[in-house]
Amino acid sequence: MKKLSWKSFRGLYIIGIISVLVYFWLPQEGLRIYRVVFDNILFMLGIIPPVFILVGLFDVWIPREKVTRHLGDRSGLKGTGISIALGALAAGPLYAAFPIAEVMLRKGTSLRNIFIFIGAWSTMKIPMLLFEIQSLGPRFAISRYAMSFLGVFLIAFFLDKLLVDDEKKNIIEKFQ
Amino acid sequence: MDLSTVIFYIIVLILLGISFFKDRKKTIEALLKAWKSFIVLLPPFLTIIFLLGFMVVFIPEKTIALYIGEKSGFLGFLISSIVGAITLIPGFVAFPMAKMLLENGAGIAQMAVFISTLMMVGIITAPLEASFFGWKATMGRNLMAYFFSFVVGYVVWMVVRI
């Protein structure tokens, strides 16, 4: 996990100083910037705590190792379902999914399930969906989510078709 | 606070209660993890909120509407999708950002394309992805996700418009 240091605040210092300069130079615009920032911080504080609590709960209660066992080549629909659930319940940016995918592959997960997992991780996270509903409304969020669901399947299917057996073997062998 | 937020709070509090009832230590651990991931996200988050403040104040609504508004057409899709494909913005920031842009003249389809490419396409992380899955799979996944995002944008626009 990333450590918090003065470096993490670098961008904030710079833009904070610029906003102070703007305030002295153009007081009206400066004040409007502060109002937008203030409103947004309030909005965030109102809805962010439960999202993070949910992420924490998922992290603690759903151990990844336990699930990876049921994802092999013959896992069928169940394997697909678990792959989606694993991705959807995860927390973290997409690049955090690759090392986990590596572990899953090494433990015998099929490549198609890996692609589904990566897809679900990228765009189907449940805490994110709830947050999206709050920010952009249920119609926007749910239609986007449903389309992503379809997309994840299509992409995994075609990716599986796109790669010839040799290429698949190469990917899998790297992880053995 | 709107209704969906209240419902969300209630759901999470119930889950937290169940967790606490089942295992106190794990629940505290979960709360600590929640706090940690929140704190790590805070600096970039505040930075982007400031950036948005600048955008809203200095870029007139008309300009936003012109480039990524409802009537910006293909150019609007192109801009939103490219920005989405390149940048690494966490969802916690992207959704309020899209909301704010929507309030300031951005189009719904364009914002859906932006969010979809933001989540599914990663140009900056492509070399990392390729080191795991090879370039062919990486290019295949990212290209398919990129083009599919346009479909997502169109469908979301249709649904929201009804």
Side-chain angles (χ1 to χ4, degrees):
Chain A
M1 179 148 248
K2 267 195 289 179
K3 269 264 177 66
L4 207 65
S5 67
W6 69 273
K7 268 188 186 166
S8 352
F9 288 95
R10 225 172 6 187
L12 190 60
Y13 288 148
I14 295 170
I15 202 149
I17 291 169
I18 294 175
S19 73
V20 173
L21 292 178
V22 167
Y23 175 72
F24 280 113
W25 188 32
L26 300 162
Q28 229 178 349
E29 278 78 3
L31 275 183
R32 275 179 66 207
I33 291 174
Y34 287 129
R35 188 164 317 132
V36 171
V37 169
F38 184 71
D39 283 351
N40 271 279
I41 290 175
L42 276 192
F43 171 73
M44 300 308 308
L45 289 182
I47 54 185
I48 259 193
V51 177
F52 277 94
I53 291 173
L54 205 57
V55 170
L57 284 176
F58 279 146
D59 221 3
V60 170
W61 283 105
I62 298 161
R64 295 193 172 107
E65 314 81 57
K66 221 182 204 171
V67 201
T68 38
R69 258 181 271 141
H70 307 279
L71 291 157
D73 265 326
R74 269 161 292 163
S75 55
L77 222 57
K78 191 178 141 211
T80 308
I82 295 172
S83 303
I84 287 186
L86 261 182
L89 298 178
L94 184 58
Y95 52 81
F98 302 142
I100 295 171
E102 179 179 346
V103 177
M104 286 164 69
L105 259 180
R106 218 186 288 137
K107 290 189 174 167
T109 305
S110 70
L111 210 51
R112 204 175 65 91
N113 281 342
I114 289 289
F115 291 139
I116 287 179
F117 165 73
I118 296 274
W121 180 300
S122 72
T123 188
M124 289 175 64
K125 293 205 204 78
I126 305 272
M128 283 296 185
L129 172 68
L130 297 169
F131 188 53
E132 188 176 356
I133 292 175
Q134 291 171 308
S135 309
L136 296 164
R139 278 187 179 207
F140 187 103
I142 291 166
S143 59
R144 202 196 57 75
Y145 197 83
M147 284 306 288
S148 300
F149 189 66
L150 181 69
V152 165
F153 269 105
L154 288 176
I155 290 170
F157 178 81
F158 284 115
L159 218 46
D160 202 38
K161 288 263 177 283
L162 179 79
L163 298 171
V164 293
D165 282 344
D166 265 4
E167 289 163 334
K168 284 184 196 165
K169 235 200 284 171
N170 277 338
I171 295 174
I172 295 167
E173 261 170 13
K174 258 202 305 197
F175 298 121
Q176 298 303 319
Chain B
M1 229 181 258
D2 66 330
L3 188 66
S4 60
T5 309
V6 175
I7 294 171
F8 186 37
Y9 260 93
I10 292 170
I11 293 172
V12 170
L13 284 178
I14 290 173
L15 287 176
L16 196 64
I18 295 171
S19 170
F20 191 75
F21 183 70
K22 279 196 161 177
D23 191 329
R24 230 173 253 204
K25 239 175 94 188
K26 268 191 173 178
T27 309
I28 291 168
E29 197 188 324
L31 287 175
L32 277 175
K33 277 191 175 173
W35 175 249
K36 259 193 203 155
S37 30
F38 173 68
I39 280 298
V40 166
L41 223 89
L42 203 59
F45 182 69
L46 290 173
T47 311
I48 291 188
I49 284 188
F50 262 99
L51 269 179
L52 276 174
F54 277 87
M55 271 181 68
V56 168
V57 171
F58 287 111
I59 303 177
E61 267 177 50
K62 266 189 214 151
T63 314
I64 294 178
L66 180 68
Y67 288 107
I68 53 170
E70 209 66 69
K71 292 196 183 83
S72 61
F74 185 70
L75 180 72
F77 278 119
L78 204 64
I79 294 173
S80 322
S81 65
I82 290 173
V83 174
I86 294 174
T87 48
L88 287 170
I89 304 172
F92 296 112
V93 180
F95 296 138
M97 187 173 158
K99 172 181 174 258
M100 201 148 110
L101 287 171
L102 279 176
E103 284 163 1
N104 285 281
I108 287 163
Q110 285 77 2
M111 284 301 97
V113 169
F114 166 68
I115 288 175
S116 191
T117 48
L118 186 67
M119 293 179 147
M120 298 178 91
V121 185
I123 292 181
I124 293 179
T125 52
L128 180 73
E129 189 175 345
S131 73
F132 284 98
F133 301 114
W135 276 108
K136 189 172 175 187
T138 301
M139 293 285 281
R141 193 192 71 76
N142 281 283
L143 276 175
M144 282 193 263
Y146 181 80
F147 289 114
F148 190 75
S149 296
F150 286 78
V151 183
V152 174
Y154 183 71
V155 172
V156 170
W157 177 70
M158 295 265 283
V159 171
V160 174
R161 223 172 34 138
I162 298 169

